[in-house]
């Protein structure tokens, strides 16, 4: 079982308009709505790939029935914690040429009781050996140690935790030694600056992604994978240090690519009952991570992947040693 | 009592952003929400001016508690008909310079039972001599004769009806001889084209606002007031034909100015227990209509007017005979 937690889900609203003129009024041609958020995308990808996943998220009372119906229609198992705090919206205005302009609300603070219920839901869902992923932003006012606390509690129950958050919440979570952290370059820089107070005192080379991954491991993560856009992934775990990427970059929709990577990592950790042991197992893990991620780029909507794309893309991934 | 009907209310959402870049992603700095829609603005203006008003509107179940709380906080009496069909949204993205870019959803179809309940609510609220205003757009799929049917029913019960809708719904309502119709120039053109099948066969000069107002009266309205932006209002009622405007145009927020005019007309009709009788009474009515409307332009939010502004602006209105 893979439990995916989305601390700050969003109602994703897509408006179709002919064109956008700043300062003007627009009649929206069509409105599409979808239960959104990074952890939901992780669960959706796992579902597409035939893995058992449970999506856990707090959801505003006014949005709960829509979220239930939408996740149900997509075949996604879910446990939603109803909250008096409304679910934020994310509005994508798409013009006739396909260009999207996005407006993302930050998310309103949640009562402490909601976070307690989230923690209980995670604890109740995962047996020892299960995997917990924690993805995305936190709403305003969330406790700084929320992700750390959830990680600690889940690990105490025998769950393996994959953390895909950035900044201060990641910095705090590192001290709980999560199985994998998976920030992008900028998130890793911010987290390490928070850990060390000052990036320049840490001995970490901010411009070297391998150094950032090593810094995350030194700060507590058991394994760190730092993504760097089209340049792929940099892994550090004990003495294994690898770089994986597609031989030829793909063009498409990058939204959700990181969530597909998280899904692949969770699936790997679940299958191994722990972290991949040794270089060859990691090569295989990263090959799948890059292929799932690339397959997501080929889909118009975040959270979708086609297993045939994954199969085909596995052979397009190259993995090499990081420079010492 | 003035009952204001809003067939297609909206949740007005205002996003504050630093600046907008098309094709990019924006973090929304602050989110404000308000129960919106033209008929709600009419009721809000009447409330500001110390008149008794009841706002009637269908509202989606998920938005009902917000609408109730917001209207309650603004001191507005209301009767909301809960519907399974969600309330549409209207999003205003306002940048640091104050420029607003708007995205207006059309509104989802309402079940027939909701329109029946709306009709009952209007009938139950207004005693003979009460005034009903009907304002704004209809959601997709609304019956073409909805406004006509509501007008007929209300008039049968002795209510006086002020219609502020455009196009085909206005064209259909004209046959029920509402007390006042109040379209703008473009809405009047569209309604008369719908009435006559072809505008060029009707003997109406599309470019002459007085001719449009006369055409609306000939098609059934007891009185017609056609607005033409800063050029003011053109009234036709029997042999009274007047033009009213501010001596000096104001700059400000034009949203809600038309609703303030509707509110002023409703207040006049209620006070007279019918249409103003004769030229002098109409001059007074139009003077108030223009002053309320201009006072709304001075407010940043639609639905607000300051009674002191109205008092001051009354003397800034000039009324003259239309050319024969």
């Amino acid at each position: 079982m893979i439990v995916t937690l989305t601390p700050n889900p969003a109602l994703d609203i897509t408006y179709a308009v002919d064109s956008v003129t700043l300062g003007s009024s627009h009649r929206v041609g069509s409105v599409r709505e979808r239960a959104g958020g990074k952890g939901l995308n992780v669960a959706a990808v796992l579902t597409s790939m035939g893995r058992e996943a449970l999506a856990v998220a707090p959801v505003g009372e006014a949005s709960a029935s829509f979220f239930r119906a939408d996740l149900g229609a997509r075949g996604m198992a879910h446990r939603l914690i109803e909250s008096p705090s409304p679910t934020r919206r994310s509005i994508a205005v798409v013009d006739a040429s396909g260009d999207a302009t996005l407006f993302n609300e930050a998310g309103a603070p949640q009562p402490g009781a909601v976070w307690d219920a989230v923690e209980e839901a995670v604890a109740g869902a995962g047996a020892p050996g299960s995997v917990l992923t924690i993805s995305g932003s936190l709403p305003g006012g969330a406790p700084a140690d929320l992700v750390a606390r959830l990680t600690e509690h889940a690990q105490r129950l025998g769950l393996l935790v994959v953390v895909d958050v950035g900044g201060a919440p990641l910095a705090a979570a590192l001290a709980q030694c999560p199985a994998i952290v998976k920030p992008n370059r900028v998130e890793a820089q911010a987290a390490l600056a928070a850990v060390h107070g000052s990036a320049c005192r840490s001995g970490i080379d901010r411009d070297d992604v391998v150094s950032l991954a090593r810094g995350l491991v030194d700060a507590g993560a058991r394994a760190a994978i730092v993504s760097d856009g089209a340049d792929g992934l940099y892994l550090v775990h004990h003495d294994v240090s690898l770089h994986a990427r597609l031989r030829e970059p793909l063009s498409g929709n990058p939204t959700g690519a990181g969530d597909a990577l998280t899904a692949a990592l969770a699936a790997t950790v679940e299958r191994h009952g722990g972290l991949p042991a040794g270089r060859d197992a990691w090569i295989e893990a990263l090959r799948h991570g890059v292929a799932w991620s690339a397959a997501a780029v080929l889909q118009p909507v975040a959270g979708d992947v086609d297993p045939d794309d994954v199969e085909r893309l596995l052979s397009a991934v190259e993995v090499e040693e990081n420079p010492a």
Side-chain angles (χ1 to χ4, degrees), chain A:
Chain A
M1 163 69 81
I2 298 170
V3 180
T4 78
L5 174 60
T6 313
N8 197 18
L11 178 62
D12 284 345
I13 301 171
T14 303
Y15 286 163
V17 298
D18 289 338
S19 65
V20 179
T21 307
L22 294 181
S24 294
S25 189
H26 304 79
R27 193 173 293 268
V28 172
S30 80
V31 181
R32 278 183 299 130
E33 297 188 355
R34 193 178 160 99
K38 288 174 70 68
L40 298 183
N41 294 340
V42 174
V45 167
L46 288 163
T47 303
S48 297
M49 294 299 290
R51 304 297 183 113
E52 197 186 356
L54 177 75
V56 175
V59 64
E61 282 152 5
S63 301
S65 62
F66 175 78
F67 266 61
R68 286 211 176 83
D70 186 49
L71 296 177
R74 291 152 66 189
M76 292 167 61
H78 53 272
R79 190 158 304 168
L80 302 180
I81 289 88
E82 285 200 33
S83 167
S85 188
T87 297
R88 70 192 176 117
R89 289 164 292 226
S90 173
I91 311 248
V93 180
V94 181
D95 68 18
S97 74
D99 283 348
T101 304
L102 274 74
F103 302 98
N104 301 314
E105 298 182 12
Q110 293 288 3
V114 168
W115 296 127
D116 292 344
V118 164
E119 198 164 342
E120 265 177 50
V122 168
S130 293
V131 177
L132 169 66
T133 67
I134 306 175
S135 299
S137 64
L138 302 182
D145 67 344
L146 177 71
V147 176
R149 200 176 78 195
L150 288 163
T151 300
E152 190 277 330
H153 188 185
Q155 294 192 145
R156 192 151 35 82
L157 297 171
L159 278 70
L160 296 148
V161 182
V162 178
V163 173
D164 183 18
V165 305
L170 171 56
L174 288 169
Q176 300 300 332
C177 312
I180 301 182
V181 299
K182 189 217 86 39
N184 62 32
R185 171 201 278 262
V186 174
E187 289 166 340
Q189 288 170 342
L192 289 169
V195 166
H196 294 285
S198 153
C200 59
R201 279 199 299 122
S202 63
I204 295 164
D205 179 353
R206 282 172 54 85
D207 297 328
D208 175 4
V209 189
V210 180
S211 176
L212 292 169
R214 174 65 62 199
L216 292 165
V217 168
D218 290 344
R222 293 174 56 210
I225 294 172
V226 181
S227 59
D228 195 19
D231 194 35
L233 314 176
Y234 292 80
L235 160 81
V236 169
H237 177 224
H238 292 314
D239 57 351
V240 181
S241 179
L242 297 168
H243 174 206
R245 63 171 168 184
L246 276 192
R247 223 165 267 120
E248 306 282 347
L250 285 177
S251 68
N253 166 30
T255 313
D259 302 326
L261 168 59
T262 300
L265 294 170
T268 290
V269 169
E270 187 192 31
R271 193 162 52 84
H272 285 267
L275 288 174
R279 188 175 172 283
D280 289 350
W282 268 114
I283 289 175
E284 194 58 15
L286 295 181
R287 199 181 289 285
H288 278 83
V290 173
W292 289 37
S293 181
V297 170
L298 297 177
Q299 296 294 327
V301 178
D304 286 356
V305 295
D306 182 334
D308 291 343
D309 286 337
V310 170
E311 195 57 40
R312 186 171 50 77
L313 287 160
L314 279 171
S315 61
V317 182
E318 61 180 18
V319 185
E320 60 189 13
E321 299 288 330
N322 285 322

